[in-house]
Amino acid sequence: MRTCLADIAAPSIIDATRRVLEGCGVEVVVPRSQTCCGQPGWSAGHPDEARRVARRALRAFRGDDPVVVPSGSCAAMVTHGYLDLFTGRPEEAEARQMAGRTLELSQFLHQNGLRPESAARGSVTLHDSCHMLRLLGERESSRAVLAEAAPGVELREMAQTDVCCGFGGTFSVNYPEVSGRLGEEKARNAAATGADELVACDLSCLLHITGRARRTGIPLRARHLAELLAEDAA
Amino acid sequence: MAAALAEQLIAAIERRRGSGERCDAAGAAARVVERIRSWGASRALLADHPLMDALGLPVALASAGIEPVRWPGPRDPRAGGAWRGLLGLESPETACGITVPAFGVAERGTLVLEAGAGHGRAIDVASAYHLALLPAERLVRTLEEALVATFAAGRRPPSAVSLVSGPSRTSDIEKISTLGAHGALALHVLVIGEELSPAT
Amino acid sequence: MSKRIPVTYPEITAPLRERTREALADAELGGNLRAAQASWAKGRRQMAEQHDFAAMRERATGIRRDNIARLPELLERLEERVRAAGGTVTRVADSDAACRYITDLAAARGATLVAKSKSMATEEIKLNEALEEAGLRVVETDLGEWILQLMQEHPSHIIAPAVHLNKEQIRSVLAAESGEAVPEGREALVAHARRRLREVFAAADIGVSGVNLAVAETGTLCVVENEGNARLVTALPRIHVAVMGMERVVADWSEAAHLLQLLPMAAIGDDAATYVNLITGPRAPDEADGPVELHLLLLDGGRAALRGTDLQDALNCIRCGACLYSCPMWRSVGGQAYGSPYSGPIGAVVTPLLEGMRGERSSELPFLSSLCGACHEACPVGIPLHDLLVRVRNRVTTPGHRRDRLRFRLWALAWSRPWAYRATRALARGGLRLAGRRGWARRLPGPGAAWTSQRDLPTRWPPRSPSS
């Protein structure tokens, strides 16, 4: 599953995800009929609208193959949000079935013992995105994959890595000042590690953090974990 | 066993900036007098409990110049403004409330005070200082044991039970714990038992 | 205290976004909130090291779910036991009924002075205003609440109301109240307040308290505190009125012991509060202290309607305040910006519900959250607050939300069709290219304006280095 946000604003992440998976010998199919997981509507308080979009995802990903998403937040929407949307409805069984085989990228790599080989060097700091951490309950996979796949990369943990960056979907535009303040704190914590770049498993957090960092003059480079993993010697 | 529970109880109360010690019945009165003196209290408000006489407290206190007053005093404390005196509104606060808990919960350092005719529910908080005399056989491990026993079926529940786990405190000013908000400024517990003669 | 303290709560006039902006601009507030949060987090970490918090939380979650499922039966039992112990129990449907009961009682007994210990339920029903209006003098005796009463402010935290003030601010408030100089330092401030409030305990006709938990088995009210004021309020005045949200009942002492153990761990990071007062009826005839009359008010105020809905879990709350400290939003703006007695995640959920989804706060508060889930993690009774926030958002019916729904209807229309999705994607990609200058957009039109009010937007990914 490509995420709508990456599809629009950062196709390089989708491309990187595909290369990482294929490099591990995984056959990758990106259904053309997919759109979005429906999370924007769900979290904004419009369940009927979200359901329409989520039904499209259920249809696009029918079958038994694992669904891999380069976003903790979108993966959590499927594994967690879909139960909220579809429990007690005709699609419940289908939603549960899809939830049961949907994994965020680093989870998928880690759980299947896959080791991409990344030529990345230098130092990074990692932001734990909230939905990854608390809805998927996943703190280890990104660190484990990073350590195994990119031995040339040193991880420097930042202070309060588990605190929300303040993006929060529509929250970021409903209460931009609060959101901005939290993004700034996150950017400062990341910059304070002295690491070369910030890495996360969610593009949404990264857009917000880097955007706030640039606005407030905090020097911070960032990329998605998939992009780091896909880096080859060339 | 009792000694271990006593130590656990005292350690937990000390964490909340109270204090405690173990002693035997013969040594209790002297310890009480010493503690009250260290606080500079001039009056002791005693729960009306047989243990007070058994330990010889009233006599020991009086001979040390500390006025022993037995709950509820000569009159209902509400009458004649006796509360005002007890609360230290007529003169500086100098009373030490002496209670006998029904249980001591070792695990978390909690004293279980049951109100009754001889044991006013406000003795400890209306006084400036609180000294609790806990017979060692009243130590239990968990709060659940103490509460289930206190409110056991077939027994009329006491009208008031107070769980006390330290001196009165407030964190309302800058989130820093400060003692003596409305209740006792200090809490000392004496765990009394024959096998608990003072640790050397 | 000769001075009469008028209690008037300011009406909320500015929209929530405006209030959050003001709070963010207040550096002093920010520092106080940070200090408060850090001290809570430290205590919580210590508790997690000493106890199996996860197991305790699981048991507590089960207890509270069961309590709420059996609520009608437990309340009947509670009523019966409180009456058997000599107390009076009255169910009150709403704030008006609750306040009227207390003002009528005061009039019937000729009362003039009411001493209060900290209670969120009485904040909720705006009891102080009602008592003042009825000509009574009412004094909050919890130190933090008293300070706020003197400042005519609302509490900023469920259990630490004055957490947004520092000691110099407090000192000047206390000096103004007593008309005398107040020495510097925390200890001196506390000693000063102790002396002033002892006058109130000694003279009050009625003591009003809240109830943390009530135990149906014996008809016992549990009031948890650290200062000792709740004991004095419930021991000295002739009449004790306890105001309790009707959901705060547990079945028996095994359950009560567990929750009483967990509450201070979650709330203050200690395994015990200093005092827990367990009150079963008024004083016995042979007792010398304690109230002669005990009145228990069971407040509905919108609670009963939540049972059987997908929001029922909100009733499990034991009001520990942990979700507030854990919430990045609450930590940034403080509780007062919420404009409700209940702030933070639980406040953003229950305020709209208790207000029947009416009014400004109902349409704004549920959206003051990034749904990060830290509240759920911190909650000792496992309330899925991040999900409840979404479900409350679903129920908002203001014109603004209806307009928003219209926009999302268009979104759903387009994004449930792959071809239309691809068309909008092409538009969006084109828009990004147009908006970008050297890989960054500084100002976006229309819906993007709020985004760029605070941040740039990388229009090329990975973003070009920030300095370029």
Side-chain angles (χ1 to χ4, degrees):
Chain A
M1 182 189 267
R2 49 177 195 224
T3 76
C4 63
L5 195 62
D7 199 19
I8 290 169
S12 62
I13 294 174
I14 300 167
D15 183 50
T17 302
R18 176 197 282 274
R19 280 188 287 132
V20 167
L21 289 170
E22 285 176 348
C24 295
V26 178
E27 183 198 346
V28 180
V29 181
V30 184
R32 220 175 107 75
S33 64
Q34 66 174 301
T35 61
C36 159
C37 65
Q39 193 196 51
W42 179 68
S43 60
H46 306 295
D48 292 337
E49 290 69 19
R51 231 173 262 125
R52 290 184 75 150
V53 176
R55 274 194 205 104
R56 162 54 51 193
L58 288 180
R59 219 170 308 151
F61 292 95
R62 271 192 193 135
D64 297 315
D65 294 330
V67 179
V68 180
V69 198
S71 157
S73 191
C74 304
M77 178 62 193
V78 177
T79 61
H80 177 84
Y82 279 17
L83 304 186
D84 191 71
L85 278 181
F86 292 115
T87 296
R89 291 177 183 266
E91 303 89 340
E92 180 175 345
E94 202 181 347
R96 284 184 188 278
Q97 195 264 357
M98 181 172 171
R101 59 191 164 91
T102 299
L103 288 170
E104 181 274 333
L105 172 65
S106 70
Q107 282 188 312
F108 177 78
L109 295 172
H110 186 52
Q111 289 182 16
N112 290 290
L114 300 174
R115 287 179 62 164
E117 281 173 26
S118 167
R121 309 233 145 254
S123 56
V124 303
T125 186
L126 202 65
H127 164 56
D128 285 302
S129 71
C130 296
H131 291 167
M132 180 111 172
L133 188 66
R134 283 182 271 267
L135 295 184
L136 298 179
E138 186 61 78
R139 189 178 180 279
E140 291 315 312
S141 64
S142 51
R143 289 176 173 78
V145 168
L146 195 62
E148 288 177 2
V153 169
E154 176 206 353
L155 173 62
R156 295 191 189 168
E157 295 285 1
M158 71 170 103
Q160 301 188 310
T161 173
D162 59 344
V163 172
C164 179
C165 68
F167 168 69
T170 49
F171 171 76
S172 64
V173 289
N174 286 333
Y175 295 99
E177 293 82 9
V178 186
S179 171
R181 173 71 62 90
L182 292 167
E184 194 175 329
E185 283 170 14
K186 178 61 69 181
R188 273 187 212 295
N189 284 333
T193 62
D196 300 334
E197 58 183 345
L198 168 70
V199 168
C201 298
D202 270 281
L203 172 63
S204 51
C205 304
L206 288 174
L207 285 174
H208 165 68
I209 300 167
T210 54
R212 182 64 183 174
R214 186 168 193 268
R215 178 64 59 90
T216 51
I218 301 166
L220 188 68
R221 291 198 312 148
R223 60 178 162 165
H224 193 279
L225 179 69
E227 295 174 296
L228 182 147
L229 294 178
E231 191 176 316
D232 49 40
Chain B
M1 175 61 185
L5 288 180
E7 284 309 312
Q8 208 183 350
L9 174 102
I10 290 167
I13 287 178
E14 281 172 348
R15 272 205 309 279
R16 296 185 203 98
R17 294 156 74 189
S19 56
E21 62 189 311
R22 298 186 272 150
C23 67
D24 56 14
R31 300 298 182 104
V32 169
V33 166
E34 186 187 320
R35 178 60 53 169
I36 294 181
R37 272 202 178 135
S38 78
W39 284 331
S42 61
R43 266 200 304 166
L45 182 63
L46 277 58
D48 191 4
H49 191 283
L51 186 64
M52 302 294 173
D53 290 316
L55 297 177
L57 268 189
V59 176
L61 288 167
S63 59
I66 300 162
E67 179 197 359
V69 183
R70 210 176 277 258
W71 181 266
R75 286 169 304 187
D76 180 329
R78 288 235 22 129
W83 273 126
R84 294 186 62 79
L86 182 57
L87 292 169
L89 293 168
E90 307 298 339
S91 55
E93 281 189 72
T94 52
C96 171
I98 305 186
T99 63
V100 182
F103 292 102
V105 181
E107 202 174 73
R108 69 208 286 272
T110 295
L111 306 172
V112 181
L113 303 177
E114 277 187 23
H119 209 303
R121 65 187 73 192
I123 291 182
D124 62 315
V125 288
S127 308
Y129 309 97
H130 178 198
L131 205 154
L133 306 175
L134 179 69
E137 65 273 15
R138 296 182 177 193
L139 281 162
V140 295
R141 205 171 58 80
T142 68
L143 182 64
E144 188 164 337
E145 285 173 68
L147 292 183
V148 168
T150 301
F151 292 94
R155 171 177 190 246
R156 191 186 163 86
S159 62
V161 174
S162 307
L163 310 184
V164 178
S165 303
S168 159
R169 62 180 158 152
T170 180
S171 296
D172 278 343
I173 303 180
E174 296 181 344
K175 204 84 178 56
I176 297 169
S177 174
T178 309
L179 297 186
H182 294 289
L185 299 152
L187 165 69
H188 188 75
V189 55
L190 277 185
V191 185
I192 302 166
E194 292 318 312
E195 74 279 28
L196 297 181
S197 32
T200 47
Chain C
M1 278 188 286
S2 54
K3 218 171 94 185
R4 192 180 155 82
I5 307 151
V7 184
T8 50
Y9 288 87
E11 283 300 307
I12 292 160
T13 48
L16 180 55
R17 183 174 164 191
E18 187 60 42
R19 302 200 302 275
T20 63
R21 251 188 296 216
E22 282 168 17
L24 286 173
D26 186 340
E28 208 161 22
L29 172 68
N32 296 347
L33 288 170
R34 256 193 306 281
Q37 195 276 335
S39 125
W40 171 81
K42 189 172 149 228
R44 272 295 284 260
R45 270 196 306 277
Q46 282 169 357
M47 285 299 105
E49 284 161 18
Q50 293 161 19
H51 300 266
D52 186 351
F53 191 75
M56 293 186 73
R57 179 178 190 255
E58 198 180 320
R59 181 175 171 209
T61 305
I63 290 173
R64 287 303 289 153
R65 290 222 168 113
D66 184 61
N67 294 156
I68 300 305
R70 293 170 57 198
L71 190 59
E73 168 206 336
L74 292 181
L75 283 174
E76 257 175 52
R77 177 89 178 139
L78 175 70
E79 282 186 83
E80 180 219 318
R81 300 314 309 165
V82 172
R83 290 198 179 111
T88 305
V89 190
T90 309
R91 296 200 187 201
V92 286
D94 54 25
S95 307
D96 286 348
C99 292
R100 201 164 44 241
Y101 182 94
I102 301 172
T103 51
D104 286 353
L105 178 71
R109 303 291 188 273
T112 57
L113 176 61
V114 177
K116 275 185 68 196
S117 69
K118 182 170 168 37
S119 145
M120 295 310 293
T122 60
E123 277 283 335
E124 178 186 329
I125 63 173
K126 298 190 167 70
L127 178 61
N128 289 10
E129 283 146 305
L131 293 175
E132 290 281 346
E133 217 163 273
L136 291 149
R137 210 181 125 212
V138 53
V139 181
E140 296 284 355
T141 61
D142 172 90
L143 180 56
E145 293 280 352
W146 186 51
I147 292 163
L148 289 183
Q149 187 188 25
L150 297 174
M151 295 179 73
Q152 302 179 35
E153 280 188 22
H154 281 297
S156 66
H157 186 277
I158 293 176
I159 60 146
V163 83
H164 58 294
L165 302 170
N166 66 32
K167 61 173 179 278
E168 275 314 301
Q169 293 166 314
I170 291 169
R171 182 167 161 244
S172 65
V173 172
L174 296 188
E177 182 274 330
S178 62
E180 54 186 79
V182 177
E184 276 180 45
R186 270 193 330 276
E187 279 82 6
L189 294 176
V190 170
H192 172 88
R194 173 187 179 101
R195 192 166 47 78
R196 299 292 291 174
L197 288 170
R198 292 203 149 216
E199 296 280 359
V200 176
F201 296 126
D205 307 293
I206 297 180
V208 174
S209 78
V211 176
N212 292 86
L213 292 173
V215 188
E217 185 186 11
T218 53
T220 305
L221 312 178
C222 310
V223 184
V224 181
E225 54 152 347
N226 283 312
E227 297 187 359
N229 63 313
R231 179 101 64 80
L232 289 163
V233 156
T234 58
L236 269 49
R238 291 184 64 80
I239 302 169
H240 172 201
V241 179
V243 185
M244 163 184 160
M246 62 181 275
E247 80 284 12
R248 309 288 281 278
V249 61
V250 300
D252 57 34
W253 279 100
S254 170
E255 292 185 354
H258 185 67
L259 294 178
L260 288 173
Q261 176 75 67
L262 192 55
L263 177 63
M265 288 171 57
I268 55 175
D270 195 338
D271 52 7
T274 305
Y275 301 111
V276 182
N277 308 294
L278 310 172
I279 299 157
T280 314
R283 73 162 84 168
D286 59 354
E287 287 178 75
D289 66 356
V292 179
E293 295 177 43
L294 169 73
H295 299 259
L296 172 64
L297 299 188
L298 294 172
L299 173 67
D300 180 337
R303 290 163 170 81
L306 296 180
R307 281 189 73 240
T309 72
D310 60 356
L311 296 162
Q312 176 169 315
D313 280 346
L315 296 174
N316 300 352
C317 178
I318 54 173
R319 304 278 188 267
C320 71
C323 63
L324 279 60
Y325 284 129
S326 73
C327 176
M329 315 307 141
W330 183 89
R331 251 153 38 200
S332 302
V333 301
Q336 295 191 318
Y338 287 74
S340 159
Y342 304 113
S343 65
I346 189 68
V349 169
V350 301
T351 303
L353 298 177
L354 298 181
E355 294 185 346
M357 299 305 299
R358 285 184 295 272
E360 282 299 297
R361 297 191 292 196
S362 298
S363 62
E364 294 176 330
L365 286 181
F367 296 93
L368 184 54
S369 165
S370 67
L371 307 178
C372 79
C375 44
H376 174 230
E377 198 173 64
C379 177
V381 293
I383 302 174
L385 282 158
H386 53 307
D387 287 339
L388 297 188
L389 281 162
V390 169
R391 292 175 196 157
V392 175
R393 291 176 181 186
N394 296 346
R395 284 167 166 74
V396 175
T397 55
T398 53
H401 194 63
R402 282 206 296 272
R403 275 196 301 279
D404 197 48
R405 181 153 296 164
L406 220 56
R407 283 192 289 274
F408 270 95
R409 199 154 293 164
L410 289 173
W411 165 80
L413 220 55
W415 284 22
S416 55
R417 292 167 175 77
W419 65 266
Y421 167 79
R422 286 194 290 270
T424 53
R425 178 183 63 184
L427 277 175
R429 282 179 179 170
L432 272 181
R433 259 194 301 277
L434 282 176
R437 294 278 176 279
R438 289 193 296 171
W440 291 92
R442 273 195 77 80
R443 182 166 300 171
L444 291 175
W451 176 276
T452 48
S453 74
Q454 298 298 315
R455 0 166 160 65
D456 296 350
L457 181 68
T459 57
R460 235 178 285 162
W461 192 267
R464 294 170 60 125
S465 96
S467 49
S468 63

